[in-house]
Amino acid sequence: AQSVTQLDSHVSVSEGTPVLLRCNYSSSYSPSLFWYVQHPNKGLQLLLKYTSAATLVKGINGFEAEFKKSETSFHLTKPSAHMSDAAEYFCVVSDRGKSTFGDGTTLTVKP
Amino acid sequence: ETGVTQTPRHLVMGMTNKKSLKCEQHLGHNAMYWYKQSAKKPLELMFVYNFKEQTENNSVPSRFSPECPNSSHLFLHLHTLQPEDSALYLCASSQEVLAGGSSRTDTQYFGPGTRLTVL
């Protein structure tokens, strides 16, 4: 069985400050891990993915995530938030053909 | 553009209507998915098709009926829906890779969704 927990349902940051969205997972095997972003009334878009290569993964729009097996975490970070980063973010664990989505984290960016 | 299109983008229907949602992927993928996204609820996987065969049905009511005529097209037929079925319905596709007796799901590419309102 696999599961994913996004530790914060809402995160609010000021523009120009760092972003940290936390994700913990559990999986019996070696999973693939993804972060997706969803802007209002849009579909989900891939930000980045981990598939057992480098543990530090760089994605689009300056986001990156680090896979930490010992902590079963895959936190998403960005050094400096931009107003356009305000959206819903989903962490996903995928294993043996089955994907499990987290409940999502709403990121608010204040001017 | 993600390569996955959905029509219509918005749909309003009464509880006695019959309508269909359409999804088309132009990415050459072999798996397609329907998700339901309701306000303040987690994303719910409804159906999965691999190589045109339905491989997952997550206890979805029979008033939702999927159809996958080929690997590029996916439909969701709707009839006698309830107001609580109002939601954003998302279609996605991916390339399933078979290795060592099991499959691995690569990135899912999502369409923009159909916003469904049931009156």
Side-chain angles (χ1 to χ4, degrees), chain A residues 5-11 20-22 104-106:
Chain A
T5 302
Q6 292 185 239
L7 298 165
D8 307 290
S9 58
H10 291 87
V11 170
L20 170 64
L21 305 183
R22 299 181 295 166
T105 298
T106 301

Side-chain angles (χ1 to χ4, degrees), chain B residues 80-108:
Chain B
T80 59
L81 293 192
Q82 305 298 312
E84 60 265 29
D85 297 323
S86 298
L88 182 68
Y89 288 83
L90 293 166
C91 174
S93 72
S94 72
Q95 186 65 24
E96 292 292 300
V97 177
L98 297 176
S102 64
S103 66
R104 180 176 66 81
T105 300
D106 202 352
T107 305
Q108 292 187 41

Side-chain angles (χ1 to χ4, degrees), chain B residues 36-71:
Chain B
K36 176 184 178 183
Q37 188 175 37
S38 305
K40 306 201 186 295
K41 284 187 178 180
L43 201 65
E44 299 173 51
L45 177 65
M46 300 175 73
F47 301 105
V48 181
Y49 278 82
N50 283 344
F51 302 94
K52 302 186 298 178
E53 298 294 323
Q54 187 179 129
T55 58
E56 193 153 345
N57 175 341
N58 279 348
S59 304
V60 180
S62 60
R63 57 186 184 271
F64 294 91
S65 174
E67 179 190 0
C68 188
N70 55 61
S71 58

Side-chain angles (χ1 to χ4, degrees), chain A residues 32 34 36 38 41-44 46 49 51 90 94-99 101 103, chain B residues 9 35 37 42-43 56 88 90 96 102-108 110-112 115:
Chain A
S32 297
F34 305 80
Y36 289 85
Q38 184 181 30
N41 297 310
K42 297 286 180 66
L44 280 68
L46 179 72
K49 66 179 180 180
T51 54
F90 294 92
S94 181
D95 181 10
R96 292 176 300 158
K98 184 175 174 65
S99 295
F101 283 71
D103 290 352
Chain B
R9 293 294 309 277
Y35 289 90
Q37 188 175 37
L43 201 65
E56 193 153 345
L88 182 68
L90 293 166
E96 292 292 300
S102 64
S103 66
R104 180 176 66 81
T105 300
D106 202 352
T107 305
Q108 292 187 41
F110 285 81
R115 174 68 63 187

